[in-house]
Amino acid sequence: VVTTLIKYIKTTGQLEMDVINLPGDFHEKITKMGDEAKLAVFSQNTCLHHQLSEGGAANPTLGRHSAGDGAWIMLKCAKTLGGECDIHFEPTRTVFTLRCPVTPYDDSVNSSNSRLDPSLFTLPSNTWGIAIDDSNIQRKLMSRFLQHCGIDKSRSIILGKDAAEIEAFGDFVVKLVAQHPADYIFIVADENLDVVEESTHHVTISGSLCIEQIRKRLSPEQENRVLAVVRSANDSSNDVALYNSRSHGFLPKAPISRDRVLQCVAPLWQQRFTTIIPSSEGHIDTSAPSNMSNFHEEFVAELINTIQSIDVLCENENEVLLPEQWVNIWEKLNALKGDMLSFMDVSNVTRIVNSISSLRGPEVPHDFLSKWATLKSEIKSVIGVTVKE
């Protein structure tokens, strides 16, 4: 084979593949046969080259191991797909062509999603939900999130309250999957899981990396029953590409309501489990409120607590000492960003979110203390409370 060319013809909705070869044995004789050569190639029990070898004298091995059915089988397969095969013997090459109707993947997914009414979607009743987050308020949100997905409280597991739960996450999931061989497992992992041991040792564990390691430990049959996604406030193209390479998908941090949750989860579930047709037969807890109003006080308290934690890390107000604390400061800033995205409409916090994102990097940004003072003032204005300076 010299080359293979594959193209999609949008106007006809067909895939066209050309396999191009250099001239082979008896090529000159074959080109003179015209359409008879093409007919012979696609006939059953016919080996054109063997016939032209004059009983095999020119090449004793030619056709010895061939029944002459290869091209005939390819033609039948093409017709099964609603397509066709063709072959052209040109002076300097041979071109084998396959054409068949196809639907591009993105078109198929978009079409499926457009037909799916999220209000009727719920996960199958034999689904376990596992969420992990190091933030107390985010864990409460994830409990609500799984309820909105239709997962029964008895099958909802929220982890991440301490270092032990975070470090044992992989073992816990692998064991649960093995214990329930007839069930689906839906995993939502925060990307940045902060582990603090003895108030001094600080480590950030990647949720997407945890998922990747879990998937590698599962058998193919077990992994086929798992939908594992990453939830993060960092949604750059590079970030999302990393999450998708390790997990089955990505969920942005955003205000949690029933409709919003189902709109995000339904297409992920449908893409992962194409044989499953979710319906309204699930067990959504309709008693769960669809808004976050009752979480407002806790949300504000969590924000203030995070702000004060950052202030403590910056308490000496000395730019020279900040590099020693930058890893811890950035993790707090990232948590602040995630909490605001989870509770407030993005249009109201765009400036704040962008400001925090601009500080991301391995080193302390220039004039960070001044930027932090401005950021605090903007947050105070948005949440409508006095933030202690």
Side-chain angles (χ1 to χ4, degrees):
V1 176
V2 175
T3 187
T4 299
L5 303 177
I6 302 176
K7 59 184 177 182
Y8 171 66
I9 305 173
K10 191 171 184 178
T11 55
T12 62
Q14 285 195 324
L15 177 142
E16 184 173 294
M17 179 175 69
D18 290 334
V19 180
I20 304 171
N21 283 299
L22 289 173
D25 293 322
F26 314 112
H27 188 74
E28 186 176 351
K29 290 184 178 181
I30 293 173
T31 56
K32 292 178 180 179
M33 292 176 63
D35 289 341
E36 290 184 14
K38 184 186 303 186
L39 182 62
V41 167
F42 291 114
S43 296
Q44 187 177 12
N45 299 323
T46 302
C47 181
L48 180 59
H49 285 80
H50 186 56
Q51 291 179 349
L52 294 175
S53 68
E54 298 177 348
N59 187 342
T61 63
L62 193 61
R64 178 177 294 176
H65 302 293
S66 173
D69 289 340
W72 174 75
I73 292 172
M74 286 189 284
L75 179 60
K76 289 186 70 70
C77 290
K79 288 182 176 180
T80 300
L81 294 172
E84 60 180 357
C85 288
D86 202 354
I87 192 165
H88 294 280
F89 296 98
E90 301 174 2
T92 60
R93 64 180 190 170
T94 299
V95 182
F96 172 86
T97 302
L98 165 68
R99 297 184 188 89
C100 63
V102 296
T103 301
Y105 174 78
D106 289 343
D107 289 353
S108 176
V109 171
N110 292 336
S111 175
S112 297
N113 292 346
S114 67
R115 293 194 303 268
L116 180 63
D117 183 355
S119 67
L120 299 179
F121 175 87
T122 182
L123 303 189
S125 58
N126 62 328
T127 302
W128 289 81
I130 307 173
I132 183 167
D133 201 298
D134 59 293
S135 163
N136 180 52
I137 193 69
Q138 292 292 336
R139 288 195 299 276
K140 291 183 178 181
L141 285 175
M142 292 315 298
S143 178
R144 177 71 57 83
F145 180 95
L146 295 179
Q147 279 183 266
H148 287 333
C149 287
I151 298 177
D152 190 82
K153 288 183 179 180
S154 65
R155 288 172 170 262
S156 296
I157 301 167
I158 310 297
L159 304 172
K161 71 176 185 293
D162 53 33
E165 282 194 352
I166 294 174
E167 292 170 350
F169 175 55
D171 291 338
F172 180 89
V173 172
V174 171
K175 183 177 179 180
L176 184 74
V177 174
Q179 289 176 336
H180 301 279
D183 294 345
Y184 292 98
I185 312 294
F186 179 36
I187 304 169
V188 183
D190 179 48
E191 171 60 7
N192 297 296
L193 299 168
D194 295 335
V195 176
V196 180
E197 298 175 341
E198 300 177 358
S199 302
T200 56
H201 184 59
H202 178 276
V203 177
T204 299
I205 295 176
S206 164
S208 64
L209 189 58
C210 288
I211 287 176
E212 182 180 51
Q213 293 169 345
I214 288 169
R215 294 176 64 193
K216 288 180 179 178
R217 293 174 60 184
L218 299 175
S219 70
E221 183 278 328
Q222 290 175 325
E223 210 268 340
N224 284 339
R225 295 186 286 107
V226 173
L227 171 61
V229 300
V230 177
R231 184 169 176 264
S232 176
N234 298 320
D235 58 358
S236 72
S237 57
N238 289 338
D239 289 323
V240 175
L242 177 65
Y243 307 150
N244 287 335
S245 70
R246 294 173 172 177
S247 69
H248 299 122
F250 163 69
L251 290 173
K253 287 192 174 179
I256 291 177
S257 66
R258 184 177 297 114
D259 289 345
R260 192 188 298 265
V261 168
L262 298 181
Q263 286 170 359
C264 290
V265 175
L268 288 171
W269 188 272
Q270 193 173 45
Q271 282 181 254
R272 178 66 176 150
F273 305 113
T274 54
T275 58
I276 300 300
I277 303 176
S279 69
S280 57
E281 65 182 8
H283 303 281
I284 292 179
D285 183 0
T286 55
S287 65
S290 60
N291 58 60
M292 296 288 102
S293 58
N294 59 325
F295 274 119
H296 180 72
E297 291 185 4
E298 291 183 65
F299 160 63
V300 172
E302 187 79 7
L303 283 184
I304 293 175
N305 181 61
T306 303
I307 289 170
Q308 292 175 343
S309 297
I310 295 174
D311 282 339
V312 169
L313 293 170
C314 302
E315 61 183 351
N316 292 323
E317 297 190 355
N318 188 334
E319 296 272 5
V320 177
L321 299 178
L322 285 178
E324 299 177 10
Q325 297 290 350
W326 178 242
V327 172
N328 294 337
I329 292 172
W330 169 249
E331 292 302 334
K332 296 293 183 183
L333 286 168
N334 196 51
L336 196 63
K337 173 182 170 182
D339 286 344
M340 298 200 74
L341 285 171
S342 298
F343 279 91
M344 308 189 73
D345 190 284
V346 67
S347 62
N348 296 328
V349 296
T350 297
R351 181 179 174 84
I352 293 172
V353 168
N354 289 341
S355 295
I356 294 176
S357 296
S358 70
L359 301 174
R360 186 180 183 183
E363 298 179 353
V364 182
H366 174 68
D367 198 22
F368 170 73
L369 291 177
S370 175
K371 293 175 180 177
W372 170 234
T374 301
L375 193 56
K376 277 196 299 181
S377 177
E378 291 179 353
I379 294 172
K380 175 180 66 175
S381 175
V382 168
I383 63 178
V385 297
T386 301
V387 179
K388 185 178 180 181
E389 299 292 342

